[in-house]
Amino acid sequence: NAGVTQTPKFRVLKTGQSMTLLCAQDMNHEYMYWYRQDPGMGLRLIHYSVGEGTTAKGEVPDGYNVSRLKKQNFLLGLESAAPSQTSVYFCASSPDRDGHEQYFGPGTRLTVT
Amino acid sequence: GDSVTQMEGPVTLSEEAFLTINCTYTATGYPSLFWYVQYPGEGLQLLLKATKADDKGSNKGFEATYRKETTSFHLEKGSVQVSDSAVYFCALSDLPGGTSYGKLTFGQGTILTVHP
């Protein structure tokens, strides 16, 4: 039981490049989330999903897209990376609606130059 | 909207000292409250939680009590260890019946460093 895994762990992009971050969970959780963590700002929700085939915008969705084609995977895409998207990205999953015990992945550190 | 405010850090303590990290919140309704811990280079882990007023969450010697009258959820530990050095996040989740779909609202985090 690996829990929540994220790939890649590190990535450097040039402005304008695109990439996809992959999150996978093996706990059969319905709900999945993408956060970004910036110094002094805690974690902010980018997008979330309440089930396979569904996605919704969070607090800071601009510049990102997501897909949940399979229940266990939640992909975060950056179509045209900007330096403001330099951050640490965390994926999380939860087994129930009111968010108890969200389980977090180890994070992806992204630098956009 | 919902918000969480934590005491500003960083906090530096000697081993065996008493720890308090303040957390206050603003929310409509009756949120669930959480403390998460992030060790260096890792993701967040749930430390403890409380789902209704006057509940006390506890784990690994840490405690926090859900105080509705003061809208607070302060984290305490009687005797910290070097291994407790980490970043601590207070968070809240909306009512189960709400439309937030389990989203967590986080405080900005408090860095704790414990010296031998």
Side-chain angles (χ1 to χ4, degrees):
Chain A
N1 190 340
V4 179
T5 58
Q6 293 181 232
T7 53
K9 288 186 169 50
F10 303 94
R11 186 72 186 268
V12 178
L13 287 180
K14 294 185 176 178
T15 298
Q17 288 184 320
S18 63
M19 78 163 294
T20 300
L21 281 66
L22 171 63
C23 175
Q25 52 97 2
D26 60 3
M27 297 174 282
N28 201 36
H29 288 170
E30 287 293 332
Y31 307 104
M32 296 187 74
Y33 313 85
W34 275 108
Y35 295 91
R36 60 177 288 172
Q37 183 179 31
D38 301 295
M41 301 186 73
L43 276 75
R44 294 179 292 169
L45 183 66
I46 304 171
H47 285 280
Y48 63 97
S49 168
V50 300
E52 182 179 317
T54 71
T55 63
K57 294 180 179 179
E59 184 184 357
V60 288
D62 293 343
Y64 305 94
N65 56 75
V66 289
S67 64
R68 184 101 180 268
L69 299 180
K70 295 183 178 180
K71 184 177 183 178
Q72 64 268 34
N73 295 337
F74 195 30
L75 279 63
L76 177 71
L78 287 72
E79 291 188 347
S80 180
S84 60
Q85 294 177 304
T86 294
S87 188
V88 181
Y89 292 86
F90 287 100
C91 176
S93 69
S94 172
D96 64 323
R97 178 176 184 173
D98 56 359
H100 287 188
E101 299 193 49
Q102 287 190 18
Y103 295 79
F104 283 80
T108 295
R109 182 173 295 276
L110 175 66
T111 301
V112 183
T113 61
Chain B
D2 297 342
S3 67
V4 176
T5 302
Q6 291 182 230
M7 67 183 289
E8 293 187 11
V11 175
T12 303
L13 295 172
S14 297
E15 205 164 28
E16 298 184 3
F18 184 84
L19 169 70
T20 299
I21 301 177
N22 291 336
C23 171
T24 57
Y25 67 89
T26 301
T28 54
Y30 305 94
S32 296
L33 301 174
F34 307 85
W35 277 100
Y36 279 82
V37 59
Q38 184 180 27
Y39 298 104
E42 299 183 10
L44 278 70
Q45 304 173 25
L46 180 67
L47 180 60
L48 53 83
K49 67 181 182 183
T51 58
K52 60 183 186 296
D54 299 326
D55 268 2
K56 177 186 283 188
S58 61
N59 186 25
K60 299 181 181 179
F62 291 89
E63 294 183 339
T65 301
Y66 189 146
R67 301 288 188 198
K68 185 170 180 292
E69 63 277 12
T70 55
T71 62
S72 65
F73 193 54
H74 304 322
L75 182 68
E76 297 182 336
K77 186 175 185 182
S79 176
V80 293
Q81 305 300 312
V82 173
S83 58
D84 293 327
S85 296
V87 183
Y88 292 81
F89 292 93
C90 186
L92 69 81
S93 177
D94 276 4
L95 267 175
T99 58
S100 65
Y101 296 103
K103 292 181 294 183
L104 289 174
T105 299
F106 287 89
Q108 72 271 33
T110 301
I111 300 172
L112 171 66
T113 302
V114 180
H115 292 299

